[in-house]
Amino acid sequence: PPGAWRARGGRVAAATRGVVAAVQQGGRAFVAGTTVRGLAAIRACVVNPGTTRSDIDVLLGEVRSHGARLLAEHYGRRATPQ
């Protein structure tokens, strides 16, 4: 729940910003950071009519893998993208 996320002292926001930066630096997909109802979020904007499901799968895979890696690095958790 959003209230619980705010109670974590900004860790979720920092992790979200970290995922955005990692995906951008990776160069395989592009996302932007935004704020929704006061919470950090990841924003993907798809406007190319040639975008395929495979392109979206790559984007989601990048977010998942970078998120899992950052969790493992920062919190010592072994996270597996689903």
Side-chain angles (χ1 to χ4, degrees), residues 2 4-5 7 10 14 21 29-30 32 35 39 41 45 47 60-61 67 69-71 74 79 81:
W5 295 348
F30 184 82
T35 304
L39 297 172
C45 179
V47 295
L60 294 174
R69 179 182 55 78
L70 291 170
L71 276 174
H74 294 287

Side-chain angles (χ1 to χ4, degrees), residues 11-79:
R11 291 183 295 173
V12 171
T16 300
R17 287 189 298 272
V19 170
V20 168
V23 170
Q24 290 174 349
Q25 291 170 2
R28 293 190 66 211
F30 184 82
V31 294
T34 190
T35 304
V36 177
R37 295 185 183 137
L39 297 172
I42 299 171
R43 178 179 181 266
C45 179
V46 180
V47 295
N48 185 333
T51 300
T52 65
R53 180 176 177 112
S54 177
D55 296 325
I56 300 302
D57 289 342
V58 167
L59 174 110
L60 294 174
E62 289 294 296
V63 169
R64 288 178 181 135
S65 67
H66 287 295
R69 179 182 55 78
L70 291 170
L71 276 174
E73 287 175 7
H74 294 287
Y75 301 108
R77 293 185 186 154
R78 196 172 271 254

